[in-house]
Structure formats: C-alpha cells, structure tokens
C-alpha cells in the first residue's frame, strides 16, 4: 500500500473547486517522490509542493520495464468542457488510492491566458483535482515563461538581423560577426560552423573565406514577407493579433505587419512536448525554420546564431514538474500545447519517465486535448510516432450534456445559464447525439487500442440517460463503458473505470496502427485525416498550394501533419454537430514547425490568440494578504 | 567562524568569469540558510542552489536589532562598467570569509535582455561573483517573468475594456459585469467595491444602482491618447519600441499606437522593489494609474478589476531569492529596475530581512545602479524614504580607466579594443578626471553618510595612478579611500576596504538628510535634483508642463522624483564628461508611477527598450548537452 495515498471524505453538494483544494493539506512533495522511489539526487524542489524531476532519473531506470500506457480523449465537447482532465485525475485517484496500483497522471500545464480570461484554471474539478490548485494554475515551475522568453528572443533576432543587414555592407557585417580579438585574430563561434556546414563551406577560419563566401555566410537575406515566426505572450491579448512593428524613428521606416500568438501555440512549446533529450532539444530548436531567404532557402534559428541560447533558456524547462492529486497520487505536469491550434498533448519526456517509475503492472494516464478527432489523433500520429511508445487503452469521455447537444439540443454558451433541456431527462435526445460518440469510438479503435467509454456523470443526469449511453457504447464496439462519479465522489467514483482500464490493458490484441505513413505526400496525409473526420474531400487555397509546394521542395514532406481545426465539430464548421459527413474541408494556409517536426494546415479561420471577455474571471481572483491564500481560481 | 564561508585559491592571469564560476562547487543553499539561522519553514528551495526566503522570516525577527547598512554607488561610468557589482560582492567576501563578519549582499536580478544582447550577464566578475552564475543570469526564481505576465495582463485588460465599452450600451456592459446567477440574483465582486467607493457610491447590490450610477460604474471611458501603460518583454527587441496594435479584422478598426518597454522598466518592478509587505503590494498594484478617463480622472488597475489578479501573479515574487558568492557568503537577489530609466535599486524587503539576519555588528551591502547621481540619489531619496532605513556608509567605486575618460581620454566603445591611453601610465590624465570623482563624493556626503572611495584596480593600473586617486579622494573629503583587487584576489583583495567600511559605520556623526522634502512642488523637486547635477536651470517641454499640471491637479505632487537620465554624464548630454556645470536640463516629458510612488521626468531622449547589436552575445551562449553545463555567459 503506497504511503502517500489517502481516501477523501466527500460532502454533498460538491463545494467550489478552490474550497475543496484549500481544504486538503498537500503532502510535502518529497513524500510523493519517495513513494515513486525517485532518488533526491534526481529531482529539484520548487517549494514544498512542486519538484522538477531531472532527466537523470530516466537514465537510471533504463533497464526497467514500462507500465501500462493509457490516453484519455473525448467526444466533441460543448464550450463548457466535458471533464476530461477531471476524469483523468479521478481515474488515477481510483487506481492509486483504491486499487493500490502504481500510477502517474501526466497532464499539460495550463496557459495563464484562459486562467485569467475565461476559465479560471484547469486542474480537474470537484473531488478529482491536482493540488495545490493555485501553484498548478499560476507559474508552476516557469516552463511557459521560458518558452515566451526564448520565442521572443528569436523574434527580436530576426527583425534586428534584417535591420543590420539592410544598413551594413557585406564587409561591415562580417567584421562585426567575426571581429578581431585583442591580438587582431578573427574566429568563428561554435554555432557559426552550423551555418557554414549548411552552406557547404568547410573552412575553419574567417580569414580564409572568399568575398563570395563572406556574402553567403554573413547575409541571411531574409524575405520579410516569408517570416512565419511570431512573437508570443501567455496573456489573452486580442489587440496583439495583428500589429505593425518598427515604427520608431531609429528603425528607419523598416516597418512590418506581424502579430502575437498565445505562448502555448509557440513551436518551442511543441519542441518541448515532443523532445526526447537535451541533445535532441538542442537540434530541434536549432532546426526551427522562421522563414526563407529571398532565394527561397529556409532560414533557421542556428542560421541566426541563437539556437544555443534558446536551449540554455529552455534547459530547466525540459525537466517535468512533479505534483499530487487530492488523494496523494503523483502527477507529472509538462508542456501544454493547445489541441486545436497545436498538437494538444503533454510531453513525451514525462510519459517516458513515468512509465519507468510505475513499472510493470503500473499505469501512466495522459490526457489528449478536446475530442478524439483532435487530441487523440495527434497523440497517435505525432506523439507516439516520435516517442515510439504504444498505448494499450484509450478512453473516450462522454457526457449526457454534450450528447444532447449533438442530438440537436439548444446552443450551449459559456457564461450563460444552461437551457432546461440539459437538466431534465430526455433519453431520445441523448440517443440522437450518440452518432458523435460512435464516430469517436470507431476512429479511436482504428489505432488498434482497446477503447473504454467513460460516462462522466453530472448531478442532473438520470439513470435512463446514463444507461442509454452505456448500451450505445457497447453496441458501437467499445471494450467497456463505465459511468463514473469522480467529480462528486473522488477516486471512489471511478473504481469501476479503473478495473475496466486494467482489463483493457491486459487484453491488448493488436499492434498500434498509424492513420497514415510518413513517406507519402503532404496532401495525401491531409486527405487521410480529413477522411477520418468524415470529409468527402479537401479544398486548398492558393496560399496553401504554394506552401505545400514550398515545403515539399524544401524536403519537409516526410513530416507528420498537425491539423489546426475547431474542436467543436468533426468538420471545420463549429455549428455542425453529431457526425457530419460529405463536407469539403477548406485548407486556408499551411505552415511548418520544422523543429518540432510537423506540418500544420490551417482549417478555416483559427485564432492563435484568444481574447478577454467583458467580465474576465480576473474580477474574482485576489489574495488574502494576511494568510496568502488565493481566491477565485476555479 | 561561519561554517559556509571559504577562502578561494586564485590563479593569475584571472580566467574567464564562467570558468571561475564553474570551477567552484556551490554549497547546497540550505547550508547558507543554516549559517544565517533561517528556519527551513521560512524558505522554499528552488533547486539545490537557490531558495526563496519567505516574508514570515522577517516577522519572526521583528525584535532583532539591525546590522550596518552600506550602499555602493560609483563615479560616472564608461560603457564597459566600472565593477560596482564586483566590488559589492568582493567587499562581502572580505567581510564574511576574511573578517568573520555576518554579512548579506543585496543585489538586483539582471534582465535577460542585456544577458543575451550585449552584456552576457551581471553576477560580478573574476574571483568576486555570485554563483551558480547561469542560474543568477537566467530565470532565477521567475520574478521578472511574473512582472512581465502581470504587466501584460493589465495591458490586455485596458485595450479590451475600451473595445467592449465601445461596442456595448451601458446596460449591456453592466449586465455582463454583474450577470444574474442561476437564481437570477446579481452581485458585485469584492474588487468592484473599490471603484464604487472611489465614485462615492455606497450601495452594496447592483440592483440598487440608478442608471446614472450604472453608467459611472460600468463605463471607465478611458481616453486612449492618455494611456501611459505599455506592454513589456524581457528581451532587447527594438522593433517593438513603437508599434500599432488592433489591426486584426475582429478588432474593428480600433487601432492604437503604443510600444513595448523592457520588463525591468515596468512600474510593477518598481512596486516590487519598494513594497514592504503583501498587503502593501496589493494596495500599490491596485493604485497604479494607467491613464485617464476622457473627463481627466486617473484610471487604476482596480478600476479595471485586475488589481487582485496582479497580486496573485506576484505573490511568490515578493519573496527574495537566497544565493551565495564564490567564497560562500549569502546573497539576496530581489527586483532589478534599471537605474537610468527607473530607480535602479534592489528591494526594500530584501534589505529589511537581511538587516535582521545579520544583526548588530553585521553588514548588509547593497548596490545602487550607475553613478551616484543616478543610483545613490534614488537610493536615498526614494528607497530610504519608503523603507525608513538609514545607511551608515556609502561607497563610491572609481577606476583609473573611467577617470582617464573624464580627464579627456579618447572615447570608450563597448566591443572595440581600448585605446592605448587606457593601458599605459598617465597620472595627469587621471588627475584631470578626478573632478567627476570629487562631485560624486560631495553629492554623496551631502546625505550625511560617511563616504569611502573604493578604487577598483585593473591589471594595467600603475601605483602612481592609484595613489593619485587615493590622495585626491582624501583631499575631496572622503572618510577613506582604498585600492582593492577583489577581481583578481577574491575577498582577500578587499580586506582593507572591509576594515575601512567597518570604521566608517562605527563613526557615523550625522542623521540622514534627503535632497528635497516631499511637500514642495514637482518643479521644485526636479530643480533640487538638477542643481545637484550641476545644472544652472531646467527647461520643460509643453508636454512636460501639461503632465506636471495634471499630476498636481490629481493630487500626486507629494511623491518623490525619479529622474530618467543618461548614466554617462552628470548632465543630459552623454558626451559631457567630468563635472559639467551651467547647463540647462531639458525635461521632455513627465510620467507618474503612482502605484510605485514616484513621478518620473524624462531627461532628453531615453530609450526604454534596448536593441540587439549586429553580433549579440547569444552567438557565444550554448550548452554541453552531455553535462548540461552552460557556455558563454560572462
């Protein structure tokens, strides 16, 4: 029996999330680490309730067998969310505190944007949460801040390099890039050899370069119109979506239209989520393409001389953060790309460490963003492709509320009271919505994993409605379908789910199958994914055609695809609920995250920078300056 | 004898900073804390070599007597810097490791802007450094990231509020600010009462408000042209100095010219440096004025409903970070406002905690930015005014190199080899430059403290030159003048300085005198400071006149003044070396940091966002991905 787990006394009705979170005294994180047999040499404390687990912990466990690997996806959600994080945490509390299994929950770090804008936080809910909730929702251990800092250092380097190249001759440029030292001798810094090698120049001293080689080396000749790298900020700041920069007098008219994305949409976040080691991260960061030269050659962070500095800024962020659930089971929090505009999964590094820590018979449960068409598709085809890991079981979280919406129920709008249809029994409306559930089950089963439907019960759901969902799930080929009440009853409410998951993991019958191979064209891969959505075809804008041709010509067509699509429908049209089919998927643009390792088509118009509503939830957030306790996060 | 201090074996010539820093194995920070008798309950570890000291440590030591309080300023520097941080650290290594005194060094956190742009780092130098140098120069414990996040949340709140007010009627606005709950009942959130009280509305429920009161409460009616709040980033990004925002289609033409400052120039950094408790910080953040309503009333962070959320984002940042020097003496790193564009001193909170920890006979040594006309003036007239603390001794750091420059030596340009004049004996050039030193001595003595000149010796200085400086200093009224070699010889090279400082602290004869009282007009205060520079008068632009009148009319004329002026001359003209006089000081603009508590006149054109040179030092910065060791920071 693990020493750190405990069973919670629950009350009804369920109190506010922050009151539950504040009612439980977290264990000192060293106790959680001890329970996982992590040697103190292999983690750094960040206060009393957080610790960064160092990659050296993984090196020491190389020989150890992995535990079971479970991914939690969902049906197409309402804007209120269907409790996927809560189910992920509740399941782990059940496995750890009630079924006495070694378990680690691997979750994404929430962006501060939604925390202060519309969401108030994302640490699970009710009696299934990660604690301390404020530390989880605020700065955690600084990973997103490190991403913001490194992303924006690269952005500043791009515009400043164009400025210096515009105002200096080849000779002056080269003279400043390789200045003579006190003894008058010039030398290349280490990182410069990466560009020299790329240019096929094997000379080792600046003095040896011909004027022609000097020009090629010193002049990146970046085409401003080709720059895809944007600045980022972890704040919902809609007024930075589209801006003009360089209007200061000293920038001499070198203005440029660009914009900011939310930090979690940065390619550096995707690199952090997909990297497998410090060395791998160094290479990926250096390879990130920010745009092209006027001759059409891809320009990388290493070309700008900043790949090393980016890695130094990210060197602590590569270590996942250890926290705990309300019932004392361990959590690794690492990376937090949004699932609609990015690949929506926590890090490979955290999963790999966790699988060794739990060992054979143990469980690692990780959450993939939004519906299975979004998070689970990217978990399988991008994350598992890069990690080489194979899940045994995939969970599809469903709610009566979302199924009613898919069945034709009235609009669900965040911030507005729910329509009566959602809080009074209507079995036929639920059944009508199950077409959405069926497609998520079949899409997920196609990967070769056992699929379990977890019906996340709300207080207003009736037995008839819940049973209808269970029955439908089994008929649709689910390995099992379980009603869970972990929000109201903590881990105890997910014990059946835990038992079903263990059975599913023990009865895996097929190898993992990707939706598409890598060695086919970019269009073929996009069309394979579109087909899985139910599309009858794909339509490319001129811009998209141009980008696909460019990436193909630049040799990047072998990368996986990360669709940037609305989470509110299988299609590109958020209003199309249920299981739409026969639609043509419009690809508006195609961009490349070459360092992270995927091409991402933009389906319809996807915003990469959310806004603040009229009454942002920061109106509720404050602090008791006597006790230091935070109020208003939820 | 303290258990954590040690005497370093030095080699000659002095190796590179990072090689020295990497050659010493830092002590686990818990040993440094133990040596200072800090109870583990009162600090949070952030890895093995950093810890945040909680304010609760101060509460426990209230009854304890303070130690001696020493500020380190300097003469007007060259662009290369004159080793003020190195002298501050070297003095403390001498006091702690050689003279067996209880000592804490209080330093500013360096901005990542210069670290990756021109400076490579700021942890002292040679054998007098803070270690681990990379942790000091990178993210430390996230304080500047917290400032960036909170500053930009407030910025997003401003523009988004203007947008929502423009597109909504009073009624719709009010309906969203105070929406009915499930039972149809409306309520004010706690923070809303701050605006209601300011408006003189004492009603407690939204339903009671008259239409007129609803309009006054819900409509901030911000005048876009009056907004002084700018977004910030801790990156040298010159292309964000002046930008146009709001050009996205969804922002419906609500564009606005604004720009980014470097994060350390944010008012929130000044609040962090000047605050005295969590409660005080909550009030200061809420009081920050971001601009005016169209009727001319100041609009605050609390008016926007975000003061509480800002404090939550800053709640960990209020705790200073404990680190160590090469010779094992403790360092508190907290806050890092630049001295030219802000008030250039580390935090009051760190000094207060440190003075209790060292106790009677112990020493707290803190560094004030740039020359005494900049950092020391603001230390005395702003920092000591708010802290109520009184220094006994002030150090003026001088170098032969800078004095030669003031004596008429050739220009000193960062990145270019020094002119021969600076590396060959020239006593008369040194003596000619001592007029600058004399003015810094007299300006500093005017505060009532004993002044010690610390001559920071460079390898190329000759005995005759050093003696000339010593002799001049004594003639100019210094309490003492000591030649130090802590860069080359660690603390051992500053033992004489330590002895002199102790004597100065034990022989204080006068109370602290401020340069100006608070209860006189803004212009009178500006003119008092200008006079101390040697100016014969002050000239105000129309904009400056308008702002002074506005702040006076709004009741803010009682605040101290923080001059935003070049550090390279007593005057506003960086080329005017030595001790210029008879010049007229041009005040271009006047702004207010009402939350931090000062008015800041802009002298000449001061950039609040540095740029990157053609060859930024990030070209040198990288990481050994096998060992994790950082290269290239200096």
């Amino acid at each position: 029996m693990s020493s750190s787990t405990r069973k919670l006394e629950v009350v009804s009705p369920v109190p506010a999330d922050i009151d539950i979170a504040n009612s439980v005294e977290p264990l000192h994180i060293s106790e959680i680490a001890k329970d996982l047999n992590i040697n103190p040499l292999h983690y750094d404390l960040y206060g009393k309730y957080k610790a960064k687990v160092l990659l050296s912990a993984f090196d020491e466990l190389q020989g150890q067998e992995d535990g079971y690997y479970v991914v939690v996806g969902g049906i197409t959600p309402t804007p209120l969310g269907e409790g996927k994080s809560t189910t992920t945490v509740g399941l782990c509390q059940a496995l750890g505190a009630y079924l006495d299994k070694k378990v680690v929950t691997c979750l994404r770090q929430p962006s501060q944007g939604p925390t202060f804008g519309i969401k108030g936080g994302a640490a699970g809910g009710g009696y299934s949460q990660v604690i301390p909730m404020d530390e989880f929702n605020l700065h955690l251990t600084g990973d997103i801040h490190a991403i913001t800092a490194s992303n924006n250092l690269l952005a500043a380097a791009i515009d400043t390099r164009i400025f210096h190249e515009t105002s200096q001759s080849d000779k002056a440029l080269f003279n400043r890039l390789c200045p003579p030292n006190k003894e008058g001798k010039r030398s290349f810094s280490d990182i410069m050899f990466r560009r020299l090698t790329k240019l096929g120049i094997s000379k080792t001293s600046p003095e040896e370069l011909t004027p022609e080689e000097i020009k090629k080396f010193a002049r990146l000749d970046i085409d401003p119109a080709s720059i895809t790298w944007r600045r980022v900020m972890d704040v919902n700041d809609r007024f930075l979506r589209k801006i003009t920069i360089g209007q200061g007098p000293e920038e001499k008219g070198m203005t440029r239209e660009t914009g900011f994305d939310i930090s979690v949409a940065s390619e550096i976040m995707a690199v952090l989520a997909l990297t497998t080691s410090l060395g791998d991260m160094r290479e990926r960061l250096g390879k990130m393409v920010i745009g092209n030269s006027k001759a059409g050659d891809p320009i990388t962070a290493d070309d700008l001389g900043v790949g090393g500095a980016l890695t130094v800024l990210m060197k602590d962020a590569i270590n996942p953060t250890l926290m705990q659930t309300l019932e004392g089971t361990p959590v690794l929090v690492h990376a937090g790309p949004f699932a609609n505009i990015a690949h929506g999964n926590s890090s490979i590094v955290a999963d790999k460490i966790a699988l060794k820590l739990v060992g054979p018979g143990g469980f690692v449960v990780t959450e993939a963003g939004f519906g299975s068409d979004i998070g689970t598709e990217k978990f399988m085809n991008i994350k598992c492709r890069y990690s080489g890991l194979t899940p045994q079981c995939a969970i599809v979280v469903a709610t009566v509320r979302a199924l009613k919406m898919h069945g034709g129920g009235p609009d669900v709008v965040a911030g507005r009271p729910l329509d009566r249809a959602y809080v009074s029994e209507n079995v036929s409306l639920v059944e009508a919505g199950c077409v959405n559930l069926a497609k998520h089950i079949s899409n997920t089963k196609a990967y070769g994993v056992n699929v379990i439907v977890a019906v996340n019960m709300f207080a207003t759901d009736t037995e008839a409605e819940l049973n209808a969902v269970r029955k439908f799930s089994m008929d649709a080929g689910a390995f099992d379908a379980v009603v869970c009440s972990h929000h109201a009853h903590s881990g105890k409410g997910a014990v059946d789910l835990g038992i079903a998951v263990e059975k599913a993991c023990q009865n895996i019958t097929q190898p993992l199958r990707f939706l598409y191979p890598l060695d086919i064209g970019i269009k073929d891969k996009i069309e394979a994914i579109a087909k899985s959505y139910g599309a009858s075809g794909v339509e490319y804008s001129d811009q998209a055609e141009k980008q696909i041709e460019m990436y193909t010509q630049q040799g990047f067509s072998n990368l996986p695809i990360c669709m940037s699509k609305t989470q509110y429908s299988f299609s590109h049209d958020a209003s199309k609920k249920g299981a739409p089919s026969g639609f043509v998927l419009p690809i508006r643009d195609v961009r490349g995250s070459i360092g992270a390792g995927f091409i991402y088509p933009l389906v319809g118009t996807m915003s990469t920078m959310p806004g603040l509503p009229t009454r942002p939830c920061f109106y509720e957030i404050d602090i008791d300056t006597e006790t230091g306790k935070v109020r208003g996060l939820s």
Side-chain angles (χ1 to χ4, degrees), chain A residues 71-233:
Chain A
V71 61
V72 179
I75 64 172
T76 304
T78 69
L80 307 179
E82 303 324 306
K84 256 199 345 296
S85 309
T86 310
T87 302
T88 305
V89 173
L91 167 61
C92 291
Q93 289 179 183
L95 288 166
Y98 296 81
L99 299 169
D100 195 21
K101 303 288 177 187
K102 278 264 182 193
V103 62
V104 173
T105 319
C106 289
L107 291 175
R108 285 175 293 163
Q109 174 184 4
S111 159
Q112 282 181 351
T115 296
F116 288 95
I118 42 158
K119 213 171 164 188
Y127 284 105
S128 293
Q129 289 187 58
V130 179
I131 54 169
M133 187 236 254
D134 60 346
E135 296 197 29
F136 178 82
N137 281 310
L138 292 170
H139 306 294
L140 196 70
T141 51
D143 297 353
I144 295 181
H145 292 318
I147 287 165
T148 303
S150 34
N151 183 100
N152 294 341
L153 176 62
L154 176 51
I158 295 167
D159 286 304
T160 313
R161 182 57 174 262
I162 297 174
F163 178 79
H164 287 309
E165 285 191 16
T166 318
S167 51
Q168 293 173 40
S169 66
D170 295 354
K171 197 159 176 292
L173 204 53
F174 185 68
N175 193 25
R176 286 199 177 83
L177 287 173
C178 306
N181 62 14
K182 285 179 189 158
E183 289 76 38
K185 195 169 172 305
R186 295 174 191 274
S187 61
F188 290 124
S189 70
D190 291 345
I191 199 170
M192 290 176 175
F193 287 105
R194 288 174 178 246
R195 176 162 174 79
L196 291 165
T197 311
K198 175 178 164 177
L199 296 171
I201 302 174
S202 56
K203 297 172 184 173
T204 56
S205 147
E207 268 86 356
E208 299 170 71
L209 262 58
T210 66
E212 213 271 325
E213 284 169 337
I214 284 177
K215 185 185 180 76
K216 259 171 85 178
F217 165 72
R219 205 163 280 284
L220 305 183
D221 201 23
I222 297 169
D223 171 7
S226 77
I227 297 170
T228 50
W229 196 262
R230 286 160 58 96
R231 290 165 174 81
V232 296
M233 202 183 268

Side-chain angles (χ1 to χ4, degrees), chain A residues 68-70 363 392-393 450 500-508:
Chain A
Y68 294 123
Y69 192 29
V70 179
F363 294 83
Q392 291 79 29
C393 168
N450 287 329
V501 164
E502 181 170 41
K503 220 177 281 161
C505 289
Q506 291 166 339
N507 289 282
I508 191 74

Side-chain angles (χ1 to χ4, degrees), chain A residues 70-78 80-92 105-108 119 122-125 128-130 337-340 343-346 365-377 379 394-399 401-402 440 444 452-458 484 486-487 494 497 567-568:
Chain A
V70 179
V71 61
V72 179
I75 64 172
T76 304
T78 69
L80 307 179
E82 303 324 306
K84 256 199 345 296
S85 309
T86 310
T87 302
T88 305
V89 173
L91 167 61
C92 291
T105 319
C106 289
L107 291 175
R108 285 175 293 163
K119 213 171 164 188
S128 293
Q129 289 187 58
V130 179
F338 282 174
N340 50 3
H343 79 287
N345 277 274
S346 54
V365 184
T366 185
E367 183 209 353
F370 298 126
S372 76
D373 55 325
I374 307 275
T376 306
E377 186 273 306
F379 171 84
I395 293 174
V396 175
V397 175
T399 63
R401 176 175 70 189
H440 285 295
T444 307
I452 292 183
V453 173
V455 190
N456 182 25
M457 193 173 92
F458 283 62
C484 345
H486 43 273
H487 182 274
L497 180 60
Q567 65 268 32
Y568 293 128

Side-chain angles (χ1 to χ4, degrees), chain A residues 267-563:
Chain A
E267 180 174 351
I268 296 178
M269 172 61 91
V271 166
L272 179 64
L274 294 172
T275 196
T276 49
S277 71
L278 191 59
D280 173 70
M281 185 167 75
R282 172 65 187 85
E283 294 316 310
R284 285 175 181 269
L285 291 175
K287 268 191 328 194
M288 293 186 309
V289 171
I290 58 93
N292 299 328
S293 67
K294 287 173 188 150
D297 302 320
I299 300 294
T300 67
D302 275 339
D303 285 325
L304 283 148
V306 74
L310 301 183
T311 314
V312 166
L313 279 167
M314 289 293 293
K315 75 180 178 73
D316 298 333
I318 202 172
N319 302 314
T321 300
L322 182 66
M323 294 188 79
Q324 62 194 287
T325 64
L326 283 168
E327 295 187 303
T329 64
V331 181
L332 281 180
V333 186
H334 202 216
F338 282 174
N340 50 3
I341 54 173
H343 79 287
N345 277 274
S346 54
S347 77
I348 289 177
V349 159
D351 291 3
K352 284 198 165 204
I353 291 174
L355 284 164
K356 298 293 182 197
L357 290 173
V358 297
F363 294 83
V364 170
V365 184
T366 185
E367 183 209 353
F370 298 126
S372 76
D373 55 325
I374 307 275
T376 306
E377 186 273 306
K378 295 171 182 179
F379 171 84
M380 300 290 187
N381 296 307
I382 299 176
K383 185 175 178 183
C384 287
R385 196 146 3 214
Y386 277 117
S387 69
L389 297 172
T390 306
Q392 291 79 29
C393 168
I395 293 174
V396 175
V397 175
T399 63
V400 165
R401 176 175 70 189
L403 291 172
K404 284 181 175 174
M405 177 189 73
H406 287 294
D411 281 354
V412 176
V413 180
R416 272 205 228 128
L418 268 178
D419 187 282
R420 271 206 53 73
Y422 292 104
V423 289
S424 47
E425 183 168 278
N426 189 332
V427 177
S428 56
L429 191 58
V430 173
E431 285 167 344
C434 280
V435 286
N436 182 266
L437 172 58
K439 192 160 183 57
H440 285 295
I441 292 171
S442 63
N443 275 15
T444 307
K445 275 188 76 174
Y447 293 108
V449 286
N450 287 329
V451 174
I452 292 183
V453 173
V455 190
N456 182 25
M457 193 173 92
F458 283 62
T460 50
D461 300 345
T462 67
E463 195 144 355
E465 290 174 327
L466 295 167
N467 286 337
V469 180
R470 277 205 68 239
K471 185 182 171 307
F472 186 92
S473 306
M474 300 309 286
D475 298 346
F479 181 87
D480 203 342
V482 182
V483 175
C484 345
S485 61
H486 43 273
H487 182 274
H489 303 128
S490 76
K492 198 170 170 191
V495 167
D496 295 344
L497 180 60
I499 293 165
V501 164
E502 181 170 41
K503 220 177 281 161
C505 289
Q506 291 166 339
N507 289 282
I508 191 74
T509 54
Q510 311 166 53
L512 185 67
R513 284 192 301 274
F514 296 125
L515 189 60
Y516 54 84
L518 288 184
D519 57 3
I520 59 174
I522 291 175
K523 282 192 175 181
D524 301 319
K525 288 183 248 193
I526 291 174
E527 275 136 40
I529 298 171
K531 203 166 146 244
S532 78
Y533 294 159
S536 58
V538 177
E539 185 190 59
Y540 301 92
S541 70
D542 295 344
Q543 168 68 5
E545 292 280 4
K546 206 186 90 197
Q547 291 285 98
I548 288 171
E549 211 212 307
M550 180 186 78
Y551 288 126
T552 306
Q553 188 259 330
Q554 291 178 341
F556 299 135
S557 64
N558 62 333
L559 296 174
I561 303 293
C562 177
M563 302 290 268

